[in-house]
Amino acid sequence: KLSLNPIGCRIASLGWAVGKGQVRSFVATTDDEERMLLKAWWLLVDGADRQHCGFNTLGFDVGVLGFRSLILGVKPSKALNRSRYGNREAIDLYLRLFPSGSPGGCDCKSICRALGIEIPAGDMDGSKVLDLWDVGDFEGIGRYVESDVTIERELFYRTADVFGG
């Protein structure tokens, strides 16, 4: 219900893949599990050569991860770089494709559909996560998050030759 407020929301799940490795997810149902999730994320992005990638990750995800770390007392492994340009720590696919702002109707899934990228979660989107949460379908949340990681990774590879690596 507070998903658009990075201070008032909580992280229900985190998905990731390293390179072309297996896509994984972690669902957090308690504050303690969310702390573990955040600690895992900080370990994943630790190191000068590590980059994280996502769609609108600098516009939203990184802020949520930072605020939730502050709120839950999770010590970061480094300060977050939220710079939109010249950021060597983050690849924001939204900014890669639309550095001046997105034309209407160009969300991640519509872009993937236009490029013929199969979306494992089908029509599922983030607005439906609360419904899954309310019925206790935590595996469904994990599958949705893994689907997003899968399509964002494919979008990264498909667009790298045209819009940069």
Side-chain angles (χ1 to χ4, degrees), residues 5-149:
N5 177 343
I7 296 173
C9 71
R10 66 175 315 245
I11 300 170
S13 185
L14 176 72
W16 71 94
V18 178
K20 293 192 177 192
Q22 181 178 355
V23 175
R24 300 180 181 275
S25 65
F26 183 102
V27 177
T29 61
T30 67
D31 283 353
D32 286 337
E33 289 177 352
E34 189 178 359
R35 279 186 193 91
M36 291 183 348
L37 176 151
L38 287 163
K39 288 176 184 177
W41 186 79
W42 286 109
L43 285 173
L44 282 169
V45 300
D46 193 22
D49 62 335
R50 288 290 175 101
Q51 289 181 302
H52 56 92
C53 178
F55 193 88
N56 197 27
T57 190
L58 292 172
F60 185 72
D61 300 325
V62 171
V64 170
L65 291 158
F67 277 114
R68 291 305 292 169
S69 294
L70 286 168
I71 291 166
L72 294 173
V74 175
K75 184 167 174 47
S77 57
K78 60 184 175 183
L80 292 171
N81 181 349
R82 295 181 71 188
S83 300
R84 291 173 56 102
Y85 307 105
N87 188 334
R88 296 188 167 283
E89 295 175 12
I91 299 168
D92 190 321
L93 296 169
Y94 173 84
L95 292 174
R96 173 185 273 183
L97 298 171
F98 307 108
S100 299
S102 173
C106 287
D107 59 59
C108 186
K109 288 184 177 73
S110 65
I111 294 164
C112 288
R113 284 185 193 99
L115 295 175
I117 297 171
E118 182 180 337
I119 302 169
D123 291 333
M124 172 66 182
D125 65 44
S127 70
K128 299 173 186 168
V129 169
L130 182 58
D131 294 336
L132 295 177
W133 182 273
D134 286 344
V135 297
D137 186 359
F138 305 119
E139 287 181 20
I141 293 170
R143 285 190 304 273
Y144 162 68
V145 169
E146 289 175 12
S147 173
D148 271 7
V149 171

